[in-house]
Amino acid sequence: MPDRPPPAPVPGPDQGPSEERMRSIVDHVVDGIISIDGHGTITTFNRAAERIFGYATEEVIGRNVRMLMPEPFRGEHDTYIGNYLRTGEARIIGTGREVAGRRSNGEVFPMELAISEFQVDGRRHFTGIVRDITERKNAEAARREAEERMRSVVDNVVDGIITIDAAGAIQSFNPAAERLFGYACEEVLGRNVNILMPQPYRQQHDGYVANYLRTGHARIIGIGREVVGQRKDGSVFPMELAVSEFHMCDQRFFTGIVRDITERKRLEAELRQRLDELADADRQKNEFLAMLGHELRNPLAPMRNALHMLKSEKSTTTMRDRARDIMERQLDHMVRLVDDLLDVSRIVRGKVELQTAAIDLREPVRRGHETALPVLDAHGHEVAMELPRAPVWVEGDMVRLSQVVANLLTNAAKYTGSEGQIALALRTQGDVATLTVEDTGAGIPPELLPRMFDLFVQGDRTPERAQGGLGIGLTLVRRLVDMHGGTVVAESGGLGQGSRFTVTLPVAPALQAPQPGWMRDAAPARGEPRVLVVDDNVDACESIAMILQTFGYATLCLYDGPSVLPTAQQWVPDAIVLDIGLPGMSGLEVAAQLRGQEPFARVPLLALTGYGQAEDRRRSTEAGFDLHLTKPVEPARLLQALAQVLAGQAA
């Protein structure tokens, strides 16, 4: 609506200029000024009112003021004016009341209204001063929304937010702080923030804040400082604290953002421990590799010397016999080293399956003692053995339990001096069998005791224990005992106090010994049965053939896979000892080929191979092998196996 000059009034003789000045003021104020009579009829409508409501003055003069109100407020207005006219309680009807107005286009808007009464010619009139407060209300709404959003953020963050004044009194305490410290907000408001700190930190905190207030060196007191908090229940915990200062109403306040870092500190501690463990494992690995080189070189030196003696024309029969004994002992030693390495690798990876049966535990104890005899004899030890008269039945693997006993005795022998004593005892108590190996040797230092069964862990190596092994024997013991459902414990009074290892196993309710399998004495074959030996390692092949020949077998050696079938068709062997890893055609393929030929469908096949895992045995069985032997095999065992399969064929 365009501005236009008001109509020029005709001034009276005395008051014209004053009325003109008043009209000019009314028309130029920013607030709308509207006058009505006692019936609500509009009598005055200034230019600001025109801008606010969108009506021209001539459109509203003489009309009821209700046209400027939304429908719901019209009846209320009439009642309000009628009540005032009837009672006349006040000259000022209302000052600064927030009401709703209605523009000419129907838009409803908020406005502030102040109404006063005046009289003209004895008649009552009312003047309303109107201010459009749309922008103010929008600003207030935006501020409320921002405050609500900020409050929502503060209430829902995972970090505790605490505000204190310069005296340390808590002014705000968000829900995260309630969860963190265990206090409800109303329990801490107005109290000193010291209640959230352990006693030793309170004085330090007061001094810190006082110093800051005195010097004011920085606006930020601290970011990410690690401190200690105290919960309502008195428990303390590590937390990260960032504190900043702000001013409000000329007062200084401080806001602290608190984060519980208990989990982070736990993870950091675990990480440090893991790093220490990795560093220790790396050290042990390096020591193990150095030890492995030492242990492998040790038997190689006498074997090379013995070989030289065998080749020398100057050596006597006695010297050659001694040389063979040396080579056999050192070979046995190397075989044990390799077996231990393979065993621990397979067992740690869960690749070993126990061949369990009801066995008398006394038998693996005896066998383990026999296995350890060379080491015991080499160190000049005799074992005081205590076995019960009655059988001790357990559900176990004969070979593996013998290995447990042998490893414990070997360990005791290596760490016990020539003047020491070793005792082995088997006892039962209730449903538990207990096996103890006790020595009076070097003992175990306290710091090493918890790690005695860890891989590659050993006591100090001294010159008298040069054949110290690889540090895996006790690891095998623990793993094998665990697989049998038992436990093993190491005890020692410390260095020089000897040691004791105790194995416990559950007793089985078996009442009779299992029937022996193929483990029986091998007898020389009769009628010179023919055995075809196939191995790409010429020495291995020929040495097996020579052993079989000494027991009355006729032998023939082959060194590759493709030659087996045509040779077998011509020579017609009674049994075949076959390596699996062969050039040209694997032993598995050869076996499958033989089984496909009618003349060889039932010829005994023995796999003699370096592959000894359960999967390898399964594949050899599927290919048609009758038995699976793992290199290196004891000659006696090979002879027994061969006798078994030939006897089965004859049956």
Side-chain angles (χ1 to χ4, degrees):
M1 182 175 61
D3 292 340
R4 59 186 184 284
V10 179
D14 297 321
Q15 57 189 18
S18 176
E19 183 180 343
E20 182 68 23
R21 192 162 44 249
M22 183 60 66
R23 183 181 299 278
S24 177
I25 292 172
V26 169
D27 285 341
H28 289 88
V29 293
V30 296
D31 293 332
I33 299 178
I34 306 169
S35 297
I36 60 174
D37 61 17
H39 301 289
T41 302
I42 298 173
T43 57
T44 301
F45 201 74
N46 74 336
R47 289 187 178 182
E50 290 180 327
R51 291 192 298 272
I52 292 172
F53 289 93
Y55 289 103
T57 299
E58 55 269 21
E59 293 180 277
V60 299
I61 295 296
R63 298 179 64 182
N64 195 284
V65 73
R66 287 181 300 174
M67 66 180 292
L68 305 179
M69 305 174 187
E71 187 64 40
F73 293 94
R74 294 180 180 180
E76 179 184 346
H77 171 266
D78 291 344
T79 301
Y80 187 84
I81 294 295
N83 180 70
Y84 175 74
L85 291 174
R86 187 175 61 256
T87 61
E89 290 178 353
R91 304 294 294 174
I92 304 299
I93 295 178
T95 302
R97 296 176 56 231
E98 290 187 7
V99 296
R102 181 179 180 277
R103 306 188 203 277
S104 61
N105 61 4
E107 177 189 354
V108 178
F109 66 98
M111 64 182 187
E112 193 174 73
L113 172 64
I115 301 176
S116 59
E117 178 191 0
F118 66 95
Q119 292 193 2
V120 176
D121 298 329
R123 286 183 295 179
R124 304 171 89 171
H125 291 262
F126 302 91
T127 294
I129 299 177
V130 177
R131 177 171 295 172
D132 186 346
I133 58 174
T134 300
E135 291 185 4
R136 190 179 80 190
K137 298 298 285 184
N138 289 342
E140 289 176 354
R143 187 178 67 253
R144 283 194 302 272
E145 182 181 355
E147 290 175 352
E148 187 63 30
R149 189 182 303 113
M150 182 59 67
R151 183 174 292 105
S152 177
V153 169
V154 171
D155 287 347
N156 291 283
V157 293
V158 296
D159 294 334
I161 300 178
I162 306 167
T163 300
I164 63 172
D165 60 19
I170 298 174
Q171 304 298 310
S172 69
F173 202 72
N174 75 333
E178 292 181 321
R179 293 190 297 271
L180 195 60
F181 290 94
Y183 288 99
C185 181
E186 56 270 17
E187 292 181 278
V188 298
L189 290 183
R191 298 178 66 181
N192 195 285
V193 73
N194 276 343
I195 66 171
L196 307 180
M197 306 172 193
Q199 189 64 41
Y201 291 89
R202 296 181 180 182
Q203 187 174 357
Q204 177 184 350
H205 171 265
D206 291 343
Y208 187 85
V209 173
N211 180 70
Y212 173 77
L213 293 173
R214 185 175 65 256
T215 60
H217 287 160
R219 304 295 290 177
I220 305 298
I221 295 179
I223 299 178
R225 294 173 56 230
E226 289 189 7
V227 294
V228 179
Q230 179 174 283
R231 299 186 178 92
K232 182 179 179 180
D233 61 8
S235 61
V236 297
F237 63 99
M239 64 182 190
E240 191 174 73
L241 171 66
V243 182
S244 60
E245 178 191 3
F246 67 97
H247 287 231
M248 187 171 63
C249 301
D250 295 329
Q251 288 185 309
R252 302 172 84 171
F253 294 89
F254 302 92
T255 294
I257 299 177
V258 178
R259 174 172 298 173
D260 186 346
I261 57 173
T262 301
E263 181 64 13
R264 189 179 82 188
K265 300 296 285 185
R266 184 187 67 80
L267 292 175
E268 288 176 355
E270 287 184 0
L271 179 59
R272 285 193 298 269
Q273 180 180 355
R274 184 58 179 154
L275 289 174
D276 291 342
E277 290 173 353
L278 289 173
D280 189 52
D282 185 62
R283 178 188 58 78
Q284 291 180 14
K285 178 203 68 175
N286 292 334
E287 291 179 358
F288 165 72
L289 291 175
M291 196 183 308
L292 178 61
H294 174 268
E295 293 295 331
L296 291 178
R297 288 191 186 96
N298 270 351
L300 288 176
M303 288 175 71
R304 173 175 287 178
N305 296 336
L307 182 60
H308 177 76
M309 292 168 61
L310 290 174
K311 293 168 62 178
S312 175
E313 296 179 355
K314 298 180 180 180
S315 60
T316 64
T317 301
T318 303
M319 294 172 64
R320 286 193 292 270
D321 289 343
R322 289 185 60 192
R324 282 192 294 269
D325 291 342
I326 290 171
M327 293 184 69
E328 185 176 3
R329 285 196 302 272
Q330 298 304 319
L331 178 61
D332 288 344
H333 179 67
M334 290 192 69
V335 167
R336 285 198 303 272
L337 291 177
V338 174
D339 283 346
D340 282 352
L341 283 172
L342 294 176
D343 274 349
V344 76
S345 174
R346 289 192 292 262
I347 291 174
V348 167
R349 291 183 290 116
K351 300 296 184 180
V352 168
E353 294 182 5
L354 299 179
Q355 306 297 318
T356 60
I359 61 174
D360 180 0
L361 191 55
R362 296 178 302 174
E363 183 59 25
V365 170
R366 294 189 185 102
R367 294 188 184 187
H369 176 250
E370 291 174 2
T371 302
L373 271 178
V375 179
L376 293 167
D377 291 344
H379 289 79
H381 297 309
E382 289 187 5
V383 176
M385 189 183 306
E386 177 189 338
L387 297 179
R389 293 184 177 181
V392 180
W393 298 108
V394 297
E395 190 73 20
D397 185 315
M398 178 73 74
V399 174
R400 294 303 184 179
L401 289 178
S402 300
Q403 187 178 6
V404 167
V405 176
N407 284 5
L408 289 175
L409 289 174
T410 300
N411 181 77
K414 289 188 299 184
Y415 289 93
T416 302
S418 58
E419 301 298 326
Q421 298 175 349
I422 300 175
L424 185 154
L426 175 62
R427 302 182 180 92
T428 58
Q429 184 175 3
D431 57 356
V432 173
T434 302
L435 175 70
T436 59
V437 175
E438 191 168 2
D439 63 68
T440 58
I444 306 170
E447 66 274 10
L448 189 60
L449 198 57
R451 300 188 296 116
M452 278 307 298
F453 298 100
D454 292 349
L455 195 58
F456 308 139
V457 171
Q458 286 188 308
D460 293 336
R461 294 171 61 88
T462 58
E464 63 270 17
R465 290 195 298 273
Q467 296 286 342
L470 301 177
I472 59 181
L474 293 180
T475 301
L476 286 172
V477 168
R478 182 180 63 180
R479 298 282 182 165
L480 291 172
V481 170
D482 287 346
M483 292 173 68
H484 280 83
T487 61
V488 58
V489 177
E491 300 172 274
S492 176
L495 290 175
Q497 301 298 311
S499 58
R500 179 173 60 212
F501 290 83
T502 304
V503 175
T504 59
L505 293 170
V507 173
L511 298 178
Q512 62 181 11
Q515 294 298 320
W518 59 268
M519 293 297 294
R520 57 183 179 269
D521 293 337
R526 297 177 181 177
E528 289 193 349
R530 294 185 174 188
V531 179
L532 182 61
V533 183
V534 187
D535 197 315
D536 60 327
N537 186 317
V538 176
D539 288 341
C541 188
E542 293 184 353
S543 61
I544 291 173
M546 285 189 295
I547 292 171
L548 296 179
Q549 288 170 11
T550 61
F551 279 82
Y553 293 96
T555 62
L556 180 65
C557 290
L558 293 177
Y559 311 110
D560 62 77
S563 302
V564 176
L565 185 59
T567 302
Q569 289 172 339
Q570 294 180 5
W571 197 60
V572 190
D574 295 298
I576 301 175
V577 178
L578 185 62
D579 188 14
I580 288 180
L582 292 172
M585 182 183 296
S586 74
L588 298 175
E589 294 171 319
V590 172
Q593 191 180 67
L594 289 168
R595 291 307 187 207
Q597 298 285 334
E598 181 57 33
F600 308 108
R602 287 176 296 279
V603 172
L605 297 181
L606 277 73
L608 183 57
T609 175
Y611 299 105
Q613 297 190 24
E615 177 65 14
D616 302 318
R617 295 178 182 276
R618 183 189 63 78
R619 293 177 62 189
S620 68
T621 301
E622 291 178 351
F625 283 97
D626 297 284
L627 284 177
H628 185 112
L629 304 177
T630 304
K631 294 179 179 179
V633 65
E634 289 287 341
R637 185 173 183 185
L638 173 61
L639 291 167
Q640 291 163 353
L642 189 56
Q644 176 191 359
V645 295
L646 287 172
Q649 183 188 40

